Amino acid sequence: MQCAARGLFIVTKLDAVNIIMELPGSFNSTGLVVSSNLPRYSDLYTLRIASADPKSVSAKEPVEFTKSVTGWFTKDGILVEGLFWKDVEGLISKYTGESRKNK
């Protein structure tokens, strides 16, 4: 399925949703595959970023994190979205090789 946004594809699998997208301002990138997984009856969430074409010369090594989702919620069960996005931005910085201190 292709979305209205240029270069954005969503691929669904039985156990994960993969989002393929281009890096903004990048003309030599093959795009990214962002996949996530939260197994049934588990609190461990995995987010992975990889190149859409791992054989390309512009491809970078894939990165991922696996964390307990309990760290992103208050004791009342409310998602603290900023904590989640902080981890996502850290993963993006790790993939691109940028320092988060520059932002």
Side-chain angles (χ1 to χ4, degrees), residues 17-74:
V17 174
N18 294 334
I19 300 172
I20 305 170
M21 57 189 237
E22 296 176 1
L23 286 171
S26 177
F27 297 103
N28 63 351
S29 173
T30 60
L32 298 177
V33 176
V34 180
S35 58
S36 65
N37 189 19
L38 180 63
R40 186 180 300 204
Y41 308 116
S42 175
D43 67 329
L44 295 179
Y45 176 77
T46 300
L47 184 63
R48 184 173 199 264
I49 299 175
S51 174
D53 181 7
K55 295 180 181 178
S56 169
V57 294
S58 63
K60 298 182 180 189
E61 289 295 315
V63 294
E64 71 177 44
F65 70 67
T66 300
K67 293 189 173 188
S68 172
V69 297
T70 59
W72 299 322
F73 289 86
T74 67

